Amino acid sequence: MKLSPKALRLVCLLLGVMMIVGMFAGCGKSNDVSSNDTSSDDTAASKPDDSGKDKSTAEPVTLKYMTWYPPQNIMNEIIEKFENKYPNIDVKVEINEPGAHCQKLPIALASGEKIDVMGVMVDIAKQVKPYLANVDEVMTKSVGDDWESSFKDGVLDWSKKICESDDVLILPTGSLASPVVYYNATIFEELGLEVPKTVDELKNIIQTIKQKKPDMMPLAFRGKLYWLHSYSAFGLWGQKKPQLLTKVNNGDIKYNSPEVKEMAQWWLKLFEEDIISKDTLDVDNTKVNEIFYGGDAAMLLHGSWMAGLLSKDWREKNGVEIDRIGAFMFPSIEGSEPTTAAIYDVSLGLNKNSKNLDEAAKLFKFILLEEGLDVLVNNFLVFPSKKGYEVDTSNFVDEPGKNGFDALSEGIANPNNPERYLSGATKEFGRVLQAVTLGEDIQKVLDEFQKEFESGKY
Amino acid sequence: MRVPTNSIKVELPVKQNKKSQSNILGYVFVLPAVAFVAVFIVYGIFFLVKTSFYKVDISFLNPEFIGLDNFKIALADKKFYRSLFNNVVLAAVTIFFCVTLGFLFSVFLCFKLKGTKIYRTLFFVPTLLPNALIAAVFAGMLQYSHGTLNRMLRAIGLDFLAQRWLADPGWAYFSVMIISFYFIGMAMMYYTADLSTISPSIFESAIIDGANMRDMLLRIIFPLLINSHKTVTLTMMLTSFRAFERVFILTGGGPGYSTQITGTYIYSFFAGESAIGNIGFVSTISIFVLIVAFIIGSIQLRAYSRASSQ
């Protein structure tokens, strides 16, 4: 078909106009994901029918849920169960990598995107605070006046502190701790090794592994991630100096202070004594899993969110080629208690501007207190913040798994620092610690970093 | 021949009308491009300049006007200078590979040898691949304990050659630079196209005059490809300022600060799990990088236009 010049011009004109309109439309506020404003009058009274389905919402409603956690397959399971329970509520989930979530969520909210439920990382709690609904009102309506008693002591105070608010704006699904150590129990048994109680014992274990299994990485660590040096050093050194991280974050202790220098020297010592090898400085998230899951590392320094490794079912589902895995808290440093840093985490918040707040509250409750939480816990992704929740450990078919889970639970219940949060500057400080492990002069790099910090760059 | 005046009176308004209609249509066709530039370039630069005067995080809530403070901090920031220096080194290495090896390979592949098309394709394919993919492949290969390169060296008894390619600051720097070799395909494309425009009679005359291979390469072909050198140098110089994926995936700018370039430095303040979130400072150093890239580009263009005119 051949177009006449006039028709061709018209087509070009239309395309041009469409392009301009499209471009400017993209700059505007996005449309509401749900075309129906169907706030129900009183959802507190709504109950599921005999089939377990709650049809109290008359018109179909679409909720938008933006988060970074849990992984997609687990989220699908949660949403499927939720939509089955509430057939009139459709949930559109956007899961991003943690870093991308920190970047996208504040921008999405600031640009007026209609997000109903959001995963709130501690790092961005203050940034999204202006958009968060008062949880007290929502939970009173959906759970009842005594909703606060559903959560463990300290959860609400933690939430207020994180958001610097008198109201409760976010609620955590559970607690996470890091770093903790997972170990290949089969290798330990083969070499006659026992879970170490002190750093010296850990050092001996590493020496034994290096001698008897020279091709094996004794302790896998994601050393390429510079910010993890901060998390790990502060998290572990908290055994000796509890709250050091919080004081540094708050600016109460300088980065070039004797306290921080002492920590940096200890961190260097770990590398000098080969407890953590310099060979791990190019290992990232993907590689560390490949190495440990494939049985090429005897131990793994990671977070409690990897507790699924303790379960045989989880290992089979995720292609982990190890028969038995255990876990322990990083052992005692110079006579201190073997603890780590742990916080409430994986928090949820509701957008106060949501037109579907009642429906969003149902999803909120579902994940925090109901079947959604069961899915998270059964996959060992969080240690629940719901009071009296009994975790079913029947999936732990062996002794190392059971003992490991108990060790993690104990560590999370008694952390050396209940604030694992790192400020932007403290994250960047990880590069300084990384440089220290490579032989840079400690005092010099600490002084330089403190100078930078004082310049206002961070 | 005398033209009747009444015909002019009739024709003029029609021509003007057609011309103005044609102009309007022209503007309409140009409008999408103008709108694109206005939204993504002009507004982008305006936004950078505006936010550089503020202390503000990525939520853009409660911006605090701090005047020129971000500029003062950036000008006193040793790490920014170091990242800029690394950019220049990266550009220099990339240009070196392209203008030497890229040029030589292009010339040799112009000879009527067997398999030249295959070799040309082999060199050119990496330039079609995303930088991120190339970097990810190399990151896996160069990893110390489980990387393919070290495993291969160990397997053939050359353990002493196995290095911490990405975990040691010196070797990491070397690794980031050496991967520039994979970008010679782009240069070869320019050189090959330009070589085909050189008349064979020039080479025939040179041979009759007794020129050897070295003379032909350095005194005839190299100067004749001045336009390609110009394009390759400028392209590679500016490409090095966009080498973000390569460095980010290979080393993340580390270990420590060793391989930090401006792209990764800016990113560390802007996004990712480690984001510091000082958007005002991000804008400020972005402006500096823009200015530096602009100056380098201008100097190069001037130098080459002088050389061309001579």
Side-chain angles (χ1 to χ4, degrees):
Chain A
M1 189 182 77
K2 197 175 176 186
L3 290 174
S4 67
K6 203 172 177 183
L8 196 64
R9 267 187 285 180
L10 193 68
V11 170
C12 291
L13 196 66
L14 280 171
L15 285 173
V17 170
M18 276 167 67
M19 188 178 157
I20 296 166
V21 171
M23 195 156 61
F24 284 104
C27 301
K29 289 185 177 182
S30 64
N31 289 327
D32 190 352
V33 283
S34 168
S35 55
N36 303 304
D37 179 9
T38 54
S39 305
S40 52
D41 294 325
D42 185 5
T43 52
S46 65
K47 298 280 180 218
D49 62 14
D50 292 341
S51 65
K53 294 182 178 182
D54 184 341
K55 295 173 181 168
S56 58
T57 308
E59 295 294 321
V61 168
T62 301
L63 295 178
K64 181 156 185 192
Y65 176 22
M66 195 168 176
T67 188
W68 84 101
Y69 196 83
Q72 189 73 56
N73 58 331
I74 308 293
M75 179 60 85
N76 290 347
E77 194 181 334
I78 293 172
I79 298 304
E80 195 182 324
K81 287 190 174 185
F82 177 78
E83 289 179 343
N84 193 35
K85 186 172 179 179
Y86 299 100
N88 289 333
I89 306 177
D90 179 35
V91 184
K92 294 222 180 310
V93 186
E94 182 181 332
I95 301 178
N96 291 299
E97 289 292 310
H101 181 69
C102 288
Q103 183 188 343
K104 283 183 175 179
L105 183 64
I107 293 174
L109 291 167
S111 62
E113 198 172 322
K114 304 295 182 199
I115 295 161
D116 302 290
V117 184
M118 60 191 109
V120 181
M121 292 173 92
V122 177
D123 309 53
I124 54 168
K126 285 174 210 160
Q127 288 178 20
V128 301
K129 180 183 163 185
Y131 306 98
L132 293 167
N134 187 340
V135 166
D136 185 37
E137 292 163 13
V138 175
M139 291 298 272
T140 303
K141 206 173 172 186
S142 63
V143 180
D145 289 337
D146 63 340
W147 70 270
E148 292 181 357
S149 63
S150 302
F151 291 89
K152 286 178 182 169
D153 301 337
V155 168
L156 305 181
D157 288 338
W158 171 86
S159 170
K160 289 174 184 173
K161 193 176 172 188
I162 289 299
C163 293
E164 293 180 356
S165 165
D166 294 333
D167 298 319
V168 179
L169 303 176
I170 57 172
L171 282 172
T173 51
S175 301
L176 297 174
S178 80
V180 297
V181 186
Y182 297 91
Y183 69 97
N184 185 330
T186 312
I187 298 289
F188 265 51
E189 278 165 19
E190 189 187 325
L191 301 179
L193 303 170
E194 301 243 323
V195 169
K197 292 191 171 58
T198 64
V199 171
D200 284 339
E201 286 181 20
L202 177 63
K203 195 175 152 187
N204 291 336
I205 286 174
I206 285 168
Q207 288 307 318
T208 307
I209 295 166
K210 284 175 79 172
Q211 282 167 9
K212 296 187 177 172
K213 298 251 177 204
D215 292 336
M216 183 164 271
M217 184 179 275
L219 178 62
F221 172 63
R222 297 165 291 159
K224 186 177 176 180
L225 311 177
Y226 61 88
W227 48 269
L228 195 66
H229 287 253
S230 257
Y231 264 116
S232 305
F234 279 108
L236 297 176
W237 191 245
Q239 283 189 21
K240 292 287 289 178
K241 300 278 179 191
Q243 310 290 323
L244 179 64
L245 170 60
T246 310
K247 287 172 187 167
V248 170
N249 265 339
N250 295 343
D252 300 333
I253 287 183
K254 290 183 175 180
Y255 287 97
N256 59 347
S257 65
E259 290 93 332
V260 176
K261 186 180 177 184
E262 191 185 8
M263 184 195 74
Q265 284 168 330
W266 174 77
W267 187 242
L268 171 63
K269 199 176 155 195
L270 283 184
F271 283 83
E272 283 178 341
E273 294 184 347
D274 235 6
I275 292 172
I276 301 176
S277 171
K278 285 181 187 172
D279 300 346
T280 62
L281 291 177
D282 58 4
V283 175
D284 58 13
N285 273 318
T286 314
K287 202 73 190 176
V288 87
N289 289 347
E290 193 185 312
I291 292 171
F292 187 71
Y293 290 8
D296 290 332
M299 290 176 280
L300 168 69
L301 200 64
H302 217 299
S304 66
W305 52 91
M306 298 294 283
L309 283 168
L310 304 172
S311 151
K312 193 178 179 185
D313 286 351
W314 193 95
R315 291 199 295 270
E316 281 173 2
K317 272 187 212 165
N318 290 277
V320 181
E321 301 164 7
I322 304 173
D323 290 335
R324 291 147 67 83
I325 293 180
F328 56 88
M329 284 290 126
F330 194 85
S332 167
I333 302 165
E334 298 165 16
S336 55
E337 279 297 308
T339 60
T340 190
I343 52 161
Y344 291 113
D345 208 335
V346 195
S347 299
L348 293 183
L350 296 170
N351 187 349
K352 68 179 180 188
N353 301 319
S354 167
K355 290 180 179 174
N356 306 308
L357 206 51
D358 289 333
E359 288 76 17
K362 286 178 182 169
L363 180 61
F364 193 69
K365 188 174 79 165
F366 186 83
I367 296 174
L368 286 166
L369 299 170
E370 297 175 345
E371 293 95 314
L373 182 63
D374 295 339
V375 176
L376 288 174
V377 175
N378 290 339
N379 285 282
F380 314 103
L381 291 169
V382 291
F383 288 74
S385 52
K386 182 182 175 182
K387 192 183 269 181
Y389 193 103
E390 289 293 325
V391 179
D392 176 16
T393 55
S394 60
N395 276 332
F396 300 129
V397 291
D398 50 38
E399 204 61 22
K402 280 180 190 165
N403 293 342
F405 189 81
D406 291 343
L408 297 190
S409 304
E410 173 67 20
I412 282 171
N414 302 293
N416 62 45
N417 191 340
E419 293 174 40
R420 199 173 57 96
Y421 162 70
L422 292 185
S423 67
T426 314
K427 282 178 188 169
E428 185 67 10
F429 183 67
R431 277 197 197 275
V432 173
L433 291 174
Q434 205 180 35
V436 164
T437 65
L438 291 161
E440 293 267 357
D441 181 84
I442 296 179
Q443 192 60 56
K444 187 182 161 214
V445 289
L446 295 185
D447 286 343
E448 278 175 7
F449 191 81
Q450 178 61 29
K451 200 175 160 192
E452 277 182 43
F453 178 71
E454 286 167 6
S455 76
K457 190 166 108 176
Y458 301 117
Chain B
M1 191 180 79
R2 197 184 161 92
V3 180
T5 48
N6 59 343
S7 68
I8 295 170
K9 275 179 190 170
V10 175
E11 274 179 27
L12 262 179
V14 173
K15 273 190 181 174
Q16 276 178 344
N17 195 24
K18 271 192 178 177
K19 198 179 172 185
S20 65
Q21 265 187 351
S22 168
N23 281 348
I24 290 168
L25 206 59
Y27 288 127
V28 170
F29 288 146
V30 170
L31 200 58
V34 171
F36 185 88
V37 170
V39 171
F40 294 106
I41 309 290
V42 178
Y43 179 73
I45 291 172
F46 167 75
F47 184 78
L48 273 186
V49 173
K50 185 186 157 197
T51 47
S52 66
F53 295 110
Y54 289 86
K55 187 170 179 107
V56 62
D57 64 28
I58 202 157
S59 69
F60 295 101
L61 290 170
N62 311 316
E64 181 195 346
F65 183 79
I66 55 168
L68 293 170
D69 283 4
N70 282 328
F71 290 87
K72 285 179 198 160
I73 296 168
L75 286 170
D77 186 358
K78 283 182 190 169
K79 279 166 190 155
F80 172 58
Y81 288 123
R82 183 172 176 169
S83 66
L84 208 54
F85 173 75
N86 285 346
N87 258 120
V88 174
V89 174
L90 185 63
V93 171
T94 312
I95 291 167
F96 171 78
F97 277 129
C98 290
V99 177
T100 55
L101 296 178
F103 167 72
L104 286 174
F105 289 157
S106 306
V107 172
F108 288 121
L109 289 177
C110 279
F111 296 158
K112 285 176 182 168
L113 301 171
K114 255 191 176 180
T116 48
K117 281 184 183 170
I118 295 171
Y119 289 125
R120 201 173 284 154
T121 311
L122 282 176
F123 280 114
F124 188 64
V125 162
T127 61
L128 296 174
L129 298 174
N131 278 356
L133 182 64
I134 295 174
V137 170
F138 273 97
M141 279 172 62
L142 299 177
Q143 201 265 330
Y144 178 76
S145 60
H146 292 75
T148 329
L149 179 61
N150 282 352
R151 277 188 166 177
M152 191 189 74
L153 291 170
R154 288 181 196 120
I156 57 174
L158 297 173
D159 302 47
F160 63 98
L161 287 179
Q163 300 293 337
R164 291 187 180 119
W165 303 110
L166 302 174
D168 174 82
W171 281 115
Y173 205 84
F174 173 78
S175 302
V176 167
M177 299 298 163
I178 208 77
I179 288 172
S180 303
F181 176 78
Y182 268 76
F183 296 92
I184 65 169
M186 182 63 78
M188 284 174 66
M189 192 180 69
Y190 288 119
Y191 285 130
T192 307
D194 213 6
L195 275 167
S196 65
T197 64
I198 302 176
S199 166
S201 62
I202 296 175
F203 300 118
E204 287 161 11
S205 310
I207 291 166
I208 292 165
D209 290 345
N212 57 22
M213 189 65 195
R214 188 169 160 271
D215 293 331
M216 298 253 277
L217 273 176
L218 298 179
R219 297 188 178 184
I220 299 171
I221 305 175
F222 196 83
L224 282 174
L225 298 183
I226 184 74
N227 283 328
S228 290
H229 298 321
K230 184 165 63 174
T231 312
V232 166
T233 308
L234 191 61
T235 308
M236 292 305 152
M237 171 63 88
L238 295 176
T239 301
S240 76
F241 279 90
R242 292 186 278 119
F244 169 77
E245 306 102 306
R246 195 189 334 173
V247 178
F248 184 74
I249 293 171
L250 277 172
T251 63
Y257 294 91
S258 58
T259 57
Q260 193 82 282
I261 60 165
T262 49
T264 53
Y265 190 63
I266 289 169
Y267 185 80
S268 68
F269 279 86
F270 170 62
E273 265 176 295
S274 54
I276 294 157
N278 185 351
I279 299 300
F281 187 69
V282 166
S283 299
T284 309
I285 50 181
S286 301
I287 289 170
F288 279 122
V289 173
L290 267 177
I291 292 169
V292 169
F294 180 75
I295 291 170
I296 292 171
S298 306
I299 292 170
Q300 276 186 323
L301 279 176
R302 280 198 145 200
Y304 277 113
S305 60
R306 263 186 214 160
S308 302
S309 62
Q310 281 169 3

